[in-house]
Amino acid sequence: EFMRNPCVDAGLIPPLVQLLNCKDQEVLLQTGRALGNICYDSHTLQSQLINMGVIPTLVKLLGIHCQNAALTEMCLVAFGNLAELESSKEQFAYTNIAEELVKLFKKQIEHDKKEMIFEVLAPLAENDVIKLQLVEAGLVECLLEIVQKTVDSDKEDDIAELKTASDLMVLLLLGDESMQKLFEGGKGSVFQRVLSWIPSNSHQLQLAGALAIANFARNDGNCIHMVDNGIVQKLMDLLDRHVEDGNVTVQHAALSALRNLAIPVVNKAKMLSAGVAEAVLKFLRSEMPPVQFKLLGTLRMLIDAQAEAAEQLGKNVKLVERLVEWCEAKDHAGVMGESNRLLSALIRHSKSKDVIRTVVQSGGIKHLVTMATSEHVIMQNEALVALALIAALELVTAEKDLENAQLVQILHRLLSDDRSAPEIKYNSMVLICALIGSEPLQKEVQSLAFLDVVSKLRSHENKTVAQQASLTEQRLTVES
């Protein structure tokens, strides 16, 4: 290491880079090794090499000298080091690296050599342009072949290869273009093969299959096609196998797929009638935050604008109690946020007194009030709409909890704050109008001089806010 800087200071890098144009294979090999050693573990020096244009030169060398094992290895080591840098990926995308690597991969028999190529493919496949190039170069067929050969093997090397190949397959599906190319309207042979992984006995393949479906389910058209063609049942069967077994990664992947599939409006009712909500609820007792997070997201997607389902779930005491518990999961912000959002969604979509009573009895009101102070406007808004429904439908039941949670003071703060979004101000005033139907809450409203705050909002630049301010002012004046 202590010799690296003197080499750089002496100006060795430019002449070495020049030597990469040499015809002598031995010189090329030693040049590549020298450059590799000097730049080892230094992003600054690696960036310098990239700027000097070594990537296209090395890719060309790989193509010309693919019969020379030592030179090939040198190129792969160099690619492995350089591919970690973001700037390199753009340069790689302008070469035929995908074609060269796939060609090389097809010729390999030894596990170690395949592993070396995988180590280059994985970072490169993070780039969407290269993803598509790899798909077009035929990498997917190679990966599917590996899966087929290794799926029933218990050899350590084969198990490792199966994992790498299936993980890489999932990575390729993260690019929109590469994913659509492989989906082929749901008729693609790759899509069909991936479907067959889900009922497999290999946890690794089950995981990759579910993640692949979650990736295919990134646009409405694909989601609708998959639901119409029975994918939901396959995922529910997979989840069923892991209720007791409890493989967290498979649970998480299958729930991710179901959540994505539930996004298009036309899929919600179909998935609810197929029993997805019941299948998901089996994981309520899970103690794993990633599973909890996806479970909550799936239920929230399913009940969106589905009043009957929202009411049914909102009356489920076990579910609501668990949500209230997770609303306090301070170590897991994602779970805490999703629990709050689902709690609010149950009320907003059901508009049901029974659901509100269940939420009140389970101690959920204070969490909805806290949610109204969230840093995310969308969450604030969802909380305010849910609280307005509570105040309109079950004010007497919720009165004490709303008072204890200091809702009136929070609304005063939201209305006084110039940074509050227009919709937050609007919904806060709607809520105030509903709250003054309660004597103790009305007293609080009067004691905080809301009239002054609301009067100022009559000249708000947003017309809807200004109109609501006038209505609220009239209402407060009448009450006082």
Side-chain angles (χ1 to χ4, degrees):
E1 195 174 338
F2 73 94
M3 279 306 294
R4 284 180 198 145
N5 281 338
C7 287
V8 176
D9 297 341
L12 256 175
I13 290 184
L16 281 172
V17 170
Q18 280 305 308
L19 277 178
L20 288 174
N21 297 309
C22 174
K23 298 277 186 285
D24 186 321
Q25 294 188 23
E26 190 57 29
V27 172
L28 286 171
L29 181 62
Q30 301 311 336
T31 303
R33 285 177 175 167
L35 281 169
N37 287 348
I38 293 171
C39 299
Y40 179 74
D41 216 17
S42 163
H43 281 176
T44 315
L45 292 175
Q46 287 167 1
S47 295
Q48 202 176 317
L49 278 186
I50 292 165
N51 294 336
M52 292 170 84
V54 300
I55 288 176
T57 310
L58 286 172
V59 174
K60 209 183 293 174
L61 287 179
L62 184 67
I64 297 167
H65 303 290
C66 56
Q67 304 306 323
N68 182 326
L71 257 179
T72 301
E73 199 167 308
M74 181 273 286
C75 288
L76 289 173
V77 171
F79 294 150
N81 288 327
L82 296 173
E84 297 295 336
L85 276 85
E86 210 43 56
S87 57
S88 76
K89 289 171 190 156
E90 286 160 29
Q91 282 211 17
F92 274 119
Y94 284 104
T95 70
N96 62 339
I97 184 77
E99 214 178 298
E100 293 297 352
L101 287 175
V102 173
K103 214 189 304 174
L104 192 63
F105 193 81
K106 284 177 178 170
K107 291 194 296 194
Q108 300 311 319
I109 299 162
E110 292 168 52
H111 171 76
D112 295 351
K113 291 276 163 50
K114 283 183 188 171
E115 201 58 41
M116 268 189 97
I117 302 172
F118 271 141
E119 279 171 21
V120 179
L121 286 169
L124 285 180
E126 287 168 11
N127 176 284
D128 282 358
V129 177
I130 302 175
K131 277 187 182 82
L132 187 58
Q133 290 172 355
L134 289 168
V135 167
E136 287 171 343
L139 179 61
V140 172
E141 288 70 20
C142 299
L143 298 176
L144 290 172
E145 207 175 303
I146 288 176
V147 168
Q148 206 171 343
K149 280 182 186 166
T150 55
V151 66
D152 297 319
S153 171
D154 46 15
K155 280 193 218 155
E156 220 170 288
D157 281 357
D158 287 346
I159 293 167
E161 224 167 273
L162 175 74
K163 178 174 173 21
T164 312
S166 52
D167 284 350
L168 189 50
M169 183 76 191
V170 172
L171 188 55
L172 291 176
L173 292 172
L174 275 171
D176 287 339
E177 282 190 79
S178 51
M179 178 269 285
Q180 278 305 89
K181 192 173 176 65
L182 295 171
F183 189 66
E184 288 181 63
K187 309 259 187 301
S189 61
V190 173
F191 172 64
Q192 298 303 329
R193 289 281 282 282
V194 165
L195 277 189
S196 72
W197 292 358
I198 292 174
S200 148
N201 289 322
S202 153
H203 282 186
Q204 175 56 36
L205 275 197
Q206 293 169 6
L207 169 65
L211 287 174
I213 296 304
N215 285 343
F216 280 126
R218 285 206 320 279
N219 72 41
D220 285 7
N222 293 2
C223 288
I224 293 163
H225 177 90
M226 286 193 277
V227 168
D228 287 346
N229 284 275
I231 189 67
V232 169
Q233 194 55 52
K234 285 185 168 67
L235 289 166
M236 290 201 304
D237 292 346
L238 177 60
L239 274 176
D240 244 11
R241 293 168 71 179
H242 289 278
V243 176
E244 299 308 326
D245 168 346
N247 184 303
V248 176
T249 53
V250 177
Q251 291 172 359
H252 180 261
L255 289 168
S256 297
L258 287 170
R259 181 200 171 280
N260 288 1
L261 290 167
I263 293 172
V265 178
V266 293
N267 281 357
K268 297 179 195 296
K270 292 174 187 172
M271 289 175 73
L272 284 164
S273 61
V276 173
E278 293 75 10
V280 169
L281 285 173
K282 290 177 186 171
F283 295 89
L284 257 190
R285 58 178 184 265
S286 170
E287 292 303 328
M288 304 307 292
V291 173
Q292 295 166 353
F293 180 70
K294 285 298 174 187
L295 172 154
L296 293 163
T298 308
L299 291 176
R300 189 165 64 81
M301 283 302 155
L302 280 172
I303 63 161
D304 191 9
Q306 305 295 311
E308 201 181 314
E311 180 162 13
Q312 209 178 337
L313 286 171
K315 291 192 291 192
N316 180 330
V317 178
K318 271 188 184 162
L319 169 63
V320 176
E321 284 176 349
R322 194 69 160 135
L323 290 183
V324 170
E325 186 189 323
W326 286 340
C327 282
E328 289 168 12
K330 291 190 170 53
D331 295 343
H332 302 285
V335 172
M336 195 163 84
E338 276 292 348
S339 303
N340 278 300
R341 292 190 77 182
L342 182 53
L343 203 56
S344 149
L346 291 169
I347 294 167
R348 287 183 297 110
H349 296 304
S350 69
K351 298 180 177 60
S352 152
K353 291 185 172 195
D354 288 339
V355 172
I356 292 169
R357 283 195 283 266
T358 308
V359 172
V360 173
Q361 281 155 15
S362 304
I365 295 293
K366 62 180 180 187
H367 297 298
L368 291 171
V369 174
T370 306
M371 184 181 168
T373 64
S374 164
E375 58 195 42
H376 305 291
V377 174
I378 192 166
M379 285 178 69
Q380 278 186 292
N381 219 25
E382 287 171 358
L384 291 169
V385 172
L387 289 164
L389 283 164
I390 291 167
L393 298 170
E394 276 295 322
L395 186 55
V396 176
T397 313
E399 183 181 69
K400 202 84 201 122
D401 286 358
L402 293 171
E403 201 180 346
N404 291 340
Q406 301 184 318
L407 174 61
V408 175
Q409 288 96 309
I410 285 167
L411 292 174
H412 190 276
R413 227 169 37 235
L414 291 174
L415 287 170
S416 310
D417 190 344
D418 294 338
R419 292 165 303 179
S420 291
E423 59 268 39
I424 300 302
K425 290 191 183 295
Y426 176 86
N427 283 322
S428 296
M429 287 187 282
V430 169
L431 184 47
I432 284 294
C433 291
L435 292 177
I436 52 180
S438 144
E439 203 178 316
L441 293 169
Q442 187 189 355
K443 278 182 185 161
E444 264 194 80
V445 170
Q446 285 166 347
S447 71
L448 284 169
F450 263 85
L451 261 174
D452 298 346
V453 182
V454 172
S455 299
K456 286 177 189 165
L457 291 173
R458 280 173 50 194
S459 56
H460 196 278
E461 58 193 34
N462 183 298
K463 272 187 187 168
T464 316
V465 172
Q467 284 167 351
Q468 185 57 43
S470 295
L471 290 170
T472 308
E473 188 180 31
Q474 286 166 21
R475 187 78 203 276
L476 290 173
T477 309
V478 169
E479 291 297 335
S480 60

